[in-house]
Amino acid sequence: MLNVKYHVEKAVLKQLLGYLRKDPEQHLSSIVSLLRKVDTGKLYTSQFDMVEELLKEEDNNWVELMTKLTKEVHPHILETIFSNFLLNASIKGWEEIEKNREKYGHDIPFTLLIDPTTACNKKCIGCWAADYNKALNLSYDELDSLFTQGKELGIYFYIMTGGEPLIRKTDILKLAKKHNDCVFMIFTNGTLIDEAFCKALCEVGNIVPTISVEGFDDATDGRRGKGSWEDIKRAMAVMKDNRVPFGFSTCFTTANCDSVLSEAFIDMMIDRGAYFSWYFTFMPIGCGTDTSLMATPDQREKLYRTIRHWRETKPIFNMDFWHDAEYVGGCVAGGRRYCHINANGDVEPCVFCHYSNANIKEVSLIEALGQPLFREYQKNQPFNDNQFRPCPILDNAPKIAEMVKASGAKSTEYVNPEDVDDLVAKTIEYGKTWAKRAEPLWEENLASKSKVKKQGNTCG
């Protein structure tokens, strides 16, 4: 329950955001000072320290990004997302999550990734959702119950994918309006984003779209079908015109490596209005998947180095889903920080791990989070001390097979269920090959951190 103190803090934050829009450079530090006061549990002290250091630098790309956000994003969306994510999800919610972790004896995730539907108007090559029955849906009432149960546990951040989640856009808007204390991120192909939907997004204020893109026109149309690139450009243009913040996601493969890691591509995404990105390494999920799309060691290292470089030079928040594991202590799946609920209600450790012991249509959310497979995950995390090798499927096989068998979990794929040993057969040699590159890369990373720390101590 959000108390009087929270509402006072939210009102003060609203006032500060008003000042921020008028003079971003002057008032950014005031936002950090307020959040320090709200963070009574000192959960994010090191992050606030880092932000304050960045704010001291002139011509900093992060200051440029935050300035753009305050000036370009619709005021209602900015205020709602800012307060819901920082106050509700990251501070108030996290305190509740910690209490419930102690109460129930297992982890409670920071976010739930949910599929409202498996229906989709695309058939993308290599899509993990292709092995789900296309007629599956979670009803409005089931989704409403999930969000209600989640908030009782301290979860205020929800991600939706599919299928194409915006096939259910009417229900999503209705749910976002009802649960107006939460943040909803929607992974979408962009085809159903139009002027009317953008107006609705400005009204509810708590939905952020993420557009799936594979590179330039040839790479995107090659994987997502002819005309997909034009759909994406149109969707981005209408969101930018309506001041709706959005990001992009890309599935990083052998086919699009050079494209999506080019200066031309990231600059174009920034120019079109993207404020953040998600880079996901291709996973060979499902029977018959094209394993040739799995990124080579050279390409994975290029991904790591490029994203790190862009963080120092580009006004966009780039996330590297694999190599950023060091910032969260390894793999976040299995309910440790997140989990996936598919459109049939199966509660899976990860969007890429199609095995489960629990279905949300049969048990409560807290019971699903305590399922045997999740406990196996949490018992084994991190799966590797080298956190450039975080994944139990891609980087540390046969760990996934051991956990699935120990927990008695079953495949959740419906078109063609995949035996976990068959999955391991596709990744075990790949993991060994990547390890040879990842080990010196991790040592280099640790040495760099140590050097920065020593320099900081000397300066202090």
Side-chain angles (χ1 to χ4, degrees):
M1 182 67 67
L2 301 176
N3 57 26
V4 174
K5 181 174 178 288
Y6 162 80
H7 290 290
V8 171
E9 291 163 347
K10 187 173 181 179
V12 173
L13 184 60
K14 181 177 181 179
Q15 186 177 27
L16 278 174
L17 285 171
Y19 295 148
L20 196 59
R21 282 190 288 271
K22 295 176 184 177
D23 190 351
E25 291 84 355
Q26 168 121 8
H27 294 287
L28 280 170
S29 58
S30 299
I31 293 286
V32 179
S33 296
L34 171 66
L35 293 173
R36 283 188 185 275
K37 293 177 182 177
V38 174
D39 182 21
T40 54
K42 308 297 182 185
L43 299 172
Y44 301 102
T45 298
S46 61
Q47 287 88 336
F48 294 145
D49 289 344
M50 180 178 68
V51 171
E52 286 190 333
E53 285 300 312
L54 289 172
L55 294 178
K56 294 176 183 177
E57 301 176 13
E58 294 185 8
D59 301 321
N60 182 280
N61 58 302
W62 291 101
V63 175
E64 183 182 352
L65 173 59
M66 288 184 278
T67 300
K68 284 178 60 180
L69 282 165
T70 58
K71 290 183 175 180
E72 297 174 0
V73 172
H74 189 284
H76 179 56
I77 298 177
L78 181 67
E79 177 191 329
T80 305
I81 295 294
F82 202 91
S83 60
N84 286 3
F85 190 82
L86 289 175
L87 293 184
N88 297 3
S90 299
I91 296 177
K92 303 299 182 184
W94 191 253
E95 291 173 357
E96 286 300 310
I97 285 173
E98 290 290 294
K99 292 176 185 175
N100 283 309
R101 181 181 290 116
E102 184 71 22
K103 176 180 178 180
Y104 292 106
H106 57 75
D107 285 336
I108 307 294
F110 175 76
T111 185
L112 300 180
L113 175 57
I114 301 169
D115 300 345
T117 182
T118 50
C120 188
N121 53 359
K122 296 279 185 182
K123 188 172 177 60
C124 304
I125 296 171
C127 176
W128 54 263
D131 279 345
Y132 286 135
N133 183 324
K134 294 298 182 185
L136 298 174
N137 290 280
L138 290 173
S139 70
Y140 174 91
D141 289 340
E142 287 166 340
L143 290 166
D144 181 33
S145 176
L146 271 175
F147 303 145
T148 300
Q149 292 180 69
K151 288 192 292 184
E152 290 172 354
L153 296 173
I155 306 169
Y156 288 86
F157 180 40
Y158 297 92
I159 306 173
M160 293 190 192
T161 181
E164 170 48 49
L166 291 187
I167 287 175
R168 300 281 304 282
K169 67 165 72 172
T170 300
D171 282 342
I172 288 173
L173 288 167
K174 185 178 176 182
L175 286 160
K177 187 174 183 179
K178 179 175 181 180
H179 298 278
N180 59 5
D181 49 354
C182 295
V183 173
F184 297 91
M185 181 178 288
I186 312 293
F187 282 86
T188 171
N189 59 36
T191 56
L192 301 177
I193 293 176
D194 54 20
E195 188 79 20
F197 184 63
C198 287
K199 298 294 185 188
L201 293 181
C202 292
E203 181 181 342
V204 296
N206 60 345
I207 297 176
V208 180
T210 303
I211 306 294
S212 299
V213 60
E214 309 301 330
F216 296 105
D217 51 355
D218 53 348
T220 295
D221 284 3
R223 185 162 186 241
R224 295 183 170 273
K226 188 175 181 180
S228 295
W229 178 244
E230 291 302 319
D231 285 334
I232 287 168
K233 290 195 295 182
R234 178 199 53 77
M236 289 183 172
V238 73
M239 286 190 290
K240 186 176 183 179
D241 288 345
N242 283 275
R243 304 176 71 187
V244 172
F246 66 90
F248 74 89
S249 70
T250 188
C251 180
F252 183 75
T253 72
T254 52
N256 69 359
C257 169
D258 293 337
S259 175
V260 298
L261 294 183
S262 68
E263 292 275 336
F265 177 74
I266 196 66
D267 288 343
M268 181 186 64
M269 289 291 104
I270 294 169
D271 289 342
R272 291 192 176 277
Y275 293 103
F276 62 89
S277 76
W278 293 84
Y279 278 72
F280 296 94
T281 301
F282 176 80
M283 292 285 285
I285 303 301
C287 299
T289 191
D290 184 358
T291 56
S292 71
L293 292 172
M294 297 164 67
T296 67
D298 282 348
Q299 290 170 331
R300 277 186 70 169
E301 180 173 347
K302 183 177 181 180
L303 172 64
Y304 160 74
R305 293 193 185 279
T306 301
I307 295 295
R308 299 292 168 109
H309 172 66
W310 283 348
R311 285 183 185 151
E312 298 177 356
T313 58
K314 303 293 183 182
I316 184 171
F317 182 43
N318 293 302
M319 289 166 278
D320 176 355
F321 195 69
W322 255 249
H323 309 118
D324 284 348
E326 66 168 314
Y327 301 121
V328 288
C331 172
V332 294
R336 177 174 168 260
R337 292 292 181 268
Y338 106 109
C339 65
H340 177 234
I341 302 175
N342 69 27
N344 190 54
D346 299 305
V347 185
E348 304 167 335
C350 173
V351 71
F352 302 116
C353 181
H354 297 176
Y355 303 93
S356 179
N357 299 109
N359 188 292
I360 204 65
K361 298 179 180 180
E362 300 167 356
V363 299
S364 67
L365 177 59
I366 190 60
E367 289 175 304
L369 295 175
Q371 66 173 282
L373 182 55
F374 281 25
R375 289 181 180 270
E376 285 294 319
Y377 258 73
Q378 292 161 30
K379 184 172 68 177
N380 285 278
Q381 287 164 325
F383 297 108
N384 201 301
D385 291 335
N386 180 337
Q387 289 169 9
F388 292 161
R389 300 172 58 198
C391 181
I393 299 175
L394 195 65
D395 303 322
N396 296 287
K399 182 58 68 175
I400 183 60
E402 294 169 4
M403 294 189 296
V404 167
K405 292 173 182 178
S407 64
K410 305 298 182 184
S411 173
T412 55
E413 293 172 350
Y414 295 95
V415 175
N416 195 1
E418 183 172 35
D419 184 90
V420 69
D421 288 327
D422 293 336
L423 173 61
V424 166
K426 292 185 292 188
T427 63
I428 191 163
E429 291 305 319
Y430 177 92
K432 293 176 183 177
T433 302
W434 168 240
K436 294 176 183 177
R437 179 66 59 86
E439 290 306 318
L441 204 61
W442 182 244
E443 291 301 320
E444 175 192 316
N445 178 61
L446 293 178
S448 177
K449 284 184 173 181
S450 177
K451 182 179 179 180
V452 169
K453 186 176 180 180
K454 288 179 180 178
Q455 289 174 341
N457 290 338
T458 301
C459 293

